[in-house]
Amino acid sequence: LSQDLTIAESDTFLIDENTLLDINPDVQITIAGTLTADADMIWITSSVDDNTHPFGAIVFEENATGYLRNVRIDRGKGIVVGTADFEMQNCSMTYHNKVPATYGTLTFLKGSPLVNGSDFIKNYVPAFVTKANATPTLSNNYLEQNTLLNSPRPQIELAQNTNDTIHVINNVIVGHPMMTQVGGILVSAPLGETSNFVIDGNTIRGNRYGISILGANASGHIRNNIIEDNDIHFNPAIAGSGILLEATGAPTMNITASGNQIRRNLRGITLTGQARIDLGHSDGPAIIGGGNIFAENVGEGNTYALYNDTPHPVSALFNCWIEGVLATPEQVESVIVHQVDNAALGPVDFT
């Protein structure tokens, strides 16, 4: 493909047999109609076999339709999804470069697209970026060493200002020890806007941090994740938490975290500003949440499973604070920072 290609609203670009498509550097495909690529092996790549001459973006416009299965897409400028009607299954994207500064390898602008069972490896920008009203479902994907530029961005960057819910389910997100600025998952909302999410069943390992939630109006569930070894940055005050919650303004944050395994980060969970979290509570005889496991979260010689740097109380019942140990209250106190350590901080109930 040597010239820009636009698929008109009434047209379909159909690839239904095994295909190699070479695209010249900077040449863009714009889909106003339909792109369906579904065969045993489809490979779309730059006609120049290096990582510095990518082909242009693949852009799905507002009313377009996209379905990709078994498609390998290498050495481009990413995919921009401006439609709600988009699905990617069992695909891969590698070495996407020279993408617009705030975009990612796959950027969502609206709707609830699905990306499932796909690989995103060694892209120069984040694997996934959401903007505006997009609430994708990202499930069963493998991510490794994205944001190769080592900029202070995560592998999954979810910015939101809608009441709908983003789902990040059963993904594996692996960092690299030399990429010390790159986090795992970031969820944020502009001041005064809301974010809603479910982050469930993921493995997040070897990043600057595991999961970071920013915004006073954030609401969601962090559950059943394995969050380990996110310790590649040296300073636990600014990085290295398995889970970090940060909020300013009115304390309306509504986050629950349950069933997570949080090991060998610089800190387990850090709460700052006006952040709020429920780490387990009781309702009469019923146990609600809890079940988090903490182990060896050590930064600068200090072990902290939970660092409550807020004035708010935290309910944190029914958790395992020191894995493999039937811990005494004194032992639990040694891995928690709260009102006992500083009267200005809120208390943590860890019964």
Side-chain angles (χ1 to χ4, degrees):
L1 184 64
S2 60
Q3 300 178 51
D4 289 351
L5 173 65
T6 297
I7 305 301
E9 289 187 14
S10 59
D11 290 338
T12 296
F13 182 13
L14 174 65
I15 307 174
D16 59 357
E17 60 186 43
N18 293 350
T19 302
L20 169 61
L21 173 60
D22 285 330
I23 305 177
N24 283 358
D26 298 321
V27 169
Q28 177 171 306
I29 298 177
T30 301
I31 311 296
T34 297
L35 169 61
T36 298
D38 185 357
D40 292 333
M41 178 57 198
I42 299 168
W43 187 10
I44 301 173
T45 188
S46 173
S47 61
V48 178
D49 191 18
D50 66 34
N51 299 332
T52 61
H53 296 85
F55 68 87
I58 300 174
V59 178
F60 290 85
E61 295 190 338
E62 184 174 6
N63 296 314
T65 298
Y67 179 78
L68 308 176
R69 189 179 74 90
N70 298 334
V71 183
R72 173 181 171 183
I73 309 169
D74 296 340
R75 298 186 170 97
K77 294 185 180 181
I79 297 176
V80 180
V81 180
T83 175
D85 192 358
F86 178 87
E87 182 174 334
M88 174 182 279
Q89 297 277 1
N90 195 37
C91 296
S92 68
M93 297 184 72
T94 303
Y95 293 124
H96 286 262
N97 196 359
K98 299 182 180 178
V99 175
T102 62
Y103 280 36
T105 304
L106 191 49
T107 303
F108 305 101
L109 303 182
K110 66 175 291 185
S112 300
L114 170 65
V115 180
N116 180 69
S118 298
D119 295 341
F120 296 80
I121 300 172
K122 293 186 176 179
N123 295 288
Y124 289 85
V125 291
F128 303 125
V129 171
T130 65
K131 294 187 174 296
N133 298 315
T135 53
T137 293
L138 311 172
S139 57
N140 305 300
N141 302 295
Y142 182 83
L143 285 65
E144 184 172 358
Q145 295 185 47
N146 295 288
T147 321
L148 274 176
L149 295 176
N150 197 27
S151 58
R153 300 177 71 188
Q155 297 200 57
I156 298 180
E157 182 177 288
L158 308 173
Q160 190 181 9
N161 59 358
T162 174
N163 289 321
D164 292 333
T165 301
I166 292 173
H167 293 83
V168 183
I169 311 293
N170 297 336
N171 301 282
V172 176
I173 305 161
V174 180
H176 187 277
M178 298 302 293
M179 295 163 57
T180 58
Q181 302 299 313
V182 180
I185 300 173
L186 170 65
V187 181
S188 65
L191 186 64
E193 302 292 346
T194 60
S195 63
N196 298 277
F197 61 86
V198 174
I199 300 174
D200 192 340
N202 303 281
T203 297
I204 308 167
R205 180 180 296 119
N207 300 279
R208 177 186 172 96
Y209 54 80
I211 300 169
S212 181
I213 311 297
L214 307 180
N217 297 323
S219 179
H221 303 285
I222 303 171
R223 59 196 182 205
N224 307 318
N225 301 286
I226 298 173
I227 308 171
E228 297 180 334
D229 302 303
N230 297 286
D231 60 353
I232 60 176
H233 194 281
F234 66 91
N235 187 349
I238 60 174
S241 291
I243 299 173
L244 168 66
L245 305 186
E246 183 176 345
T248 58
T252 59
M253 183 176 274
N254 181 21
I255 309 291
T256 66
S258 61
N260 300 288
Q261 302 175 43
I262 304 173
R263 304 184 181 94
R264 297 181 302 277
N265 309 282
L266 298 184
R267 290 179 183 169
I269 298 175
T270 301
L271 312 177
T272 67
Q274 301 296 326
R276 300 272 194 138
I277 196 168
D278 181 353
L279 293 172
H281 67 278
S282 61
D283 183 5
I287 296 172
I288 310 298
N292 298 290
I293 297 171
F294 299 87
E296 302 176 69
N297 295 286
V298 182
E300 295 185 331
N302 299 308
T303 301
Y304 294 131
L306 173 61
Y307 199 109
N308 181 26
D309 193 20
T310 81
H312 305 299
V314 178
S315 182
L317 309 184
F318 316 117
N319 296 289
C320 175
W321 295 101
I322 306 173
E323 188 173 19
V325 175
L326 188 60
T328 66
E330 292 76 18
Q331 288 173 310
V332 177
E333 283 285 2
S334 72
V335 297
I336 293 178
V337 172
H338 64 134
Q339 193 173 78
V340 171
D341 307 282
N342 181 341
L345 303 179
V348 174
D349 182 0
F350 57 82
T351 306

